[in-house]
Amino acid sequence: MTVITKPFEQQEAKKEIQELKELIVKEFSTFTPYQKYFLFGDNEIIKLKGQLTKELITELTTDNKAFTSCLLRYLRARDFKVEKAHQLLKGTLQWLEEFKPYQFRSKQMSSDTDSLSGKIYVHGFDKWNRPLVRMNPSKQKDFNSELQIKTTVYALQSAINRMEDPNLGQLSWFVDFEGFQMKHSPSLSVCKSVIDILLNHFVERLGYCIVVNAPKAFHWLWSLLSPFIPSVTKEKVKICWSSDKEEQLKFLKQFIDLKYVDKKFCDESEFEFNHEEIWNEDEELDNKRVEKLKKFGVVFE
């Protein structure tokens, strides 16, 4: 099942959660409909405008699970330092209205070159019921920097759309480097932009990053960077260094049910990338997302 908040962590952070709630509630009148949805989830409070009554403030600061879950992620990311978590969250809220990831639609994204090739998409779950963002870097076809960032962000949003608890849930990455060559590498600026977005706007979302068929260049890069990666994050990166298919399957079984493992790794699996099937499912979920957001006043361009 999806990793949920540990009871002791909620108790230990009770004071910090309350302080952060009070800071955010004071800013309620400045939020757009989508910013409110991001914070409060499926709650009729989103439709309200202007200042809140004392009764609604009490409801927000005591009974709103989605709000608490969202704030807890940001507090975790800043070691429960309230002011730092507040600034991090304000940065995300600003980014949401500048980058507008909620405006990206499945029908639009499904027709871009990298979606057609299967370079990045969402399908299946890991063994903890976390949605799988699947990436095949060797299938990179379009090197437009803006589009590369956009497709990555859409995949993350699509994974969140599949979560049982979108405000607290996590996702996992499944990265298969088979066939990768340096010509498939994104630019340094794209890498930096994606890392910045992951660290600052998809806070505490990583379950595992599962890597197979890592090329030699990845060995070198990992040994260079790993000393500088926080131990908590580093523990979530799981790499199979072996090129032996049996070893790879044994490795993958630890994290993913066989029905979600690609057929090339396992004869028992029937899954192979099919653009039409993957994106038909995605479009159906996306349409439901949009209809829900429209009810809360979010306007789509």
Side-chain angles (χ1 to χ4, degrees):
M1 295 297 291
T2 304
V3 175
I4 60 174
T5 311
K6 298 176 183 178
F8 75 86
E9 195 165 19
Q10 285 195 30
Q11 285 300 113
E12 289 184 351
K14 191 173 182 179
K15 177 176 176 290
E16 289 83 357
I17 290 173
Q18 186 61 30
E19 288 179 10
L20 186 53
K21 280 183 177 180
E22 291 172 0
L23 288 172
I24 295 298
V25 167
K26 288 178 182 178
E27 300 164 349
F28 184 87
S29 63
T30 68
F31 298 145
T32 66
Y34 187 75
Q35 288 172 331
K36 292 175 184 177
Y37 178 80
F38 179 84
L39 289 165
F40 306 119
D42 298 339
N43 194 303
E44 292 297 313
I45 290 172
I46 297 172
K47 297 179 181 179
L48 299 178
K49 299 179 181 179
Q51 297 296 328
L52 299 177
T53 64
K54 289 183 178 179
E55 290 76 13
L56 287 174
I57 290 175
T58 299
E59 180 180 341
L60 279 177
T61 55
T62 57
D63 301 327
N64 190 297
K65 179 185 176 182
F67 189 30
T68 301
S69 297
C70 179
L71 300 188
L72 184 56
R73 286 194 295 110
Y74 281 79
L75 283 166
R76 283 175 176 170
R78 290 298 179 265
D79 296 322
F80 295 93
K81 292 180 173 58
V82 175
E83 185 52 39
K84 288 185 177 181
H86 184 215
Q87 292 304 314
L88 182 62
L89 180 52
K90 286 177 67 175
T92 295
L93 294 173
Q94 182 178 346
W95 175 80
L96 288 173
E97 289 305 322
E98 291 177 350
F99 197 69
K100 296 185 182 297
Y102 59 91
Q103 295 283 355
F104 303 164
R105 299 299 310 277
S106 178
K107 194 169 185 178
Q108 169 196 9
M109 301 304 298
S110 66
S111 61
D112 77 61
T113 308
D114 286 341
S115 298
L116 290 167
S117 71
K119 183 245 179 175
I120 185 168
Y121 60 97
V122 181
H123 176 72
F125 299 84
D126 70 9
K127 287 196 170 182
W128 296 266
N129 204 34
R130 294 179 289 225
L132 281 173
V133 177
R134 311 171 84 105
M135 179 177 280
N136 300 276
S138 68
K139 296 182 180 180
Q140 180 78 49
K141 303 296 182 184
D142 194 319
F143 289 87
N144 178 288
S145 298
E146 183 179 347
L147 184 59
Q148 286 179 310
I149 296 168
K150 190 174 179 179
T151 54
T152 302
V153 170
Y154 180 79
L156 293 166
Q157 290 285 109
S158 181
I160 291 171
N161 198 29
R162 290 162 164 78
M163 291 178 183
E164 293 178 9
D165 182 354
N167 283 66
L168 187 62
Q170 294 180 312
L171 56 87
S172 286
W173 288 81
F174 177 21
V175 185
D176 181 5
F177 277 100
E178 184 177 48
F180 178 83
Q181 298 177 37
M182 291 306 294
K183 67 180 182 180
H184 299 122
S185 300
S187 68
L188 184 59
S189 63
V190 168
C191 292
K192 286 182 177 179
S193 295
V194 170
I195 290 172
D196 177 74
I197 289 169
L198 290 171
L199 291 177
N200 294 309
H201 307 312
F202 289 87
V203 175
E204 292 291 302
R205 287 298 194 186
L206 181 62
Y208 283 119
C209 180
I210 305 156
V211 180
V212 295
N213 290 311
K216 291 181 179 180
F218 188 86
H219 288 241
W220 172 80
L221 185 62
W222 181 249
S223 63
L224 184 68
L225 294 178
S226 59
F228 305 99
I229 298 175
S231 58
V232 173
T233 302
K234 191 158 52 177
E235 287 173 4
K236 296 179 179 182
V237 179
K238 305 298 181 181
I239 306 170
C240 179
W241 298 110
S242 174
S243 59
D244 180 80
K245 293 300 180 184
E246 290 187 7
E247 287 298 317
Q248 290 180 344
L249 180 58
K250 182 179 179 181
F251 167 79
L252 290 172
K253 280 182 177 180
Q254 300 176 77
F255 309 103
I256 308 172
D257 287 331
L258 289 181
K259 63 181 177 179
Y260 296 128
V261 173
D262 302 66
K263 187 175 179 62
K264 68 178 183 180
F265 293 109
C266 176
D267 292 335
E268 297 177 43
S269 172
E270 297 182 355
F271 174 69
E272 292 181 293
F273 174 74
N274 180 299
H275 178 270
E276 185 176 0
E277 291 179 3
I278 292 295
W279 285 97
N280 281 347
E281 176 191 24
D282 191 89
E283 186 173 349
E284 183 179 342
L285 290 169
D286 186 51
N287 288 337
K288 291 179 181 178
R289 174 189 71 92
V290 170
E291 289 306 310
K292 178 170 61 177
L293 290 176
K294 284 181 177 178
K295 291 178 182 178
F296 289 116
V298 178
V299 177
F300 286 83
E301 300 169 355

